[in-house]
Amino acid sequence: IVCRANSLHSRVQSAKVMCSELGYETGSLTNGYRRHYSFYRIINLNCYGNETALLDCQYHIAGYSSCYRDVIQCSKKAIRLVQGVKFSNYWSGRVEVFTNNEWGTVCDDYFGSQDAQVVCGQLGYNHVEAINTSAAYGQGRGRIWLNGLGCTGNEQSVFNCTHRPLGDTYGCGHNEDVGLICSNNSVRLVGGPKSKSFHAGRVEIYINGQWGTVCDDYWDYSDA
């Protein structure tokens, strides 16, 4: 059995490592703990939270005796758009993320196109139609989970982007909850100027989850 770590910090970090090893994205302590007897015990557990497996943490093996074990809860992180509209190829609304068993919002401070790209991609959409700031879809309730996002655009999850500590609302309130419009496009123009009446750029098409270009061989006005 795995005995409860000595410090609260290590207990929290070990819960994260255990849940990650089991395929979950978050791990948290519950209010319960139990006493167990075992012939072999892992004691003095010390995790930093970045280990890939529990046995990568520091620990000692002890013989038969009893110890208290933490009860932990593992969960998946999720994301959604609320207070907007949703169709098969279009979804709009206030961005909310689920972590630590609670839905919360995302602050619009420093929220840019690359952050939006990751959010829409995580929702299964390949195009960002618009970023709406200042609680355009109404103010959320509860926690503001993410603030100061810094995505590169290549992350699979918004939680993999750099950001302030979860729940850190420095300089942000629900009046700054960010919203998005995501869509699925099969054709786009990139690298050129765009206005309400004009759009230029390289032609790219979306097939099998990936954008690719179009060769200009035999391309003419009919194709355009």
Side-chain angles (χ1 to χ4, degrees), residues 110-119 128 148-163:
Y110 309 108
F111 193 96
S113 59
Q114 292 175 314
D115 307 309
Q117 182 179 335
V118 173
V119 172
V128 179
L149 274 176
C151 300
T152 66
N154 299 316
E155 295 87 353
Q156 297 298 311
S157 168
V158 70
F159 291 99
N160 295 333
C161 304
T162 60
H163 54 77

Side-chain angles (χ1 to χ4, degrees), residues 72-214:
I72 66 174
Q73 180 170 309
C74 303
S75 62
K76 295 283 188 179
K77 290 178 179 176
I79 193 167
R80 68 183 181 184
L81 302 180
V82 299
Q83 298 294 94
V85 296
K86 182 180 182 181
F87 302 101
S88 60
N89 63 344
Y90 181 95
W91 197 359
S92 66
R94 182 177 63 249
V95 181
E96 292 191 352
V97 295
F98 185 79
T99 185
N100 295 334
N101 302 307
E102 184 179 355
W103 285 100
T105 60
V106 177
C107 185
D108 63 12
D109 287 353
Y110 309 108
F111 193 96
S113 59
Q114 292 175 314
D115 307 309
Q117 182 179 335
V118 173
V119 172
C120 288
Q122 191 173 350
L123 291 168
Y125 294 85
N126 62 36
H127 182 68
V128 179
E129 291 283 347
I131 299 173
N132 298 298
T133 59
S134 303
Y137 294 98
Q139 295 187 22
R141 297 180 179 180
R143 304 292 295 270
I144 301 174
W145 278 128
L146 292 176
N147 186 10
L149 274 176
C151 300
T152 66
N154 299 316
E155 295 87 353
Q156 297 298 311
S157 168
V158 70
F159 291 99
N160 295 333
C161 304
T162 60
H163 54 77
R164 299 182 69 89
L166 285 174
D168 184 342
T169 60
Y170 178 79
C172 195
H174 279 301
N175 61 315
E176 297 177 81
D177 288 340
V178 74
L180 282 179
I181 301 176
C182 303
S183 66
N184 277 324
N185 287 345
S186 57
V187 180
R188 68 181 182 184
L189 299 178
V190 298
K194 181 181 180 181
S195 67
K196 291 183 178 180
S197 59
F198 182 84
H199 194 181
R202 181 178 64 253
V203 179
E204 293 188 353
I205 58 176
Y206 190 80
I207 299 176
N208 296 329
Q210 186 175 0
W211 287 102
T213 59
V214 178

Side-chain angles (χ1 to χ4, degrees), residues 34-64:
R34 297 170 183 169
R35 190 178 184 90
H36 286 272
Y37 286 85
S38 175
F39 285 100
Y40 296 99
R41 296 173 297 136
I42 291 179
I43 63 172
N44 300 329
L45 184 65
N46 184 27
C47 298
Y48 294 98
N50 57 0
E51 297 87 353
T52 59
L54 189 65
L55 295 182
D56 293 334
C57 302
Q58 299 173 1
Y59 63 90
H60 293 94
I61 298 294
Y64 181 80

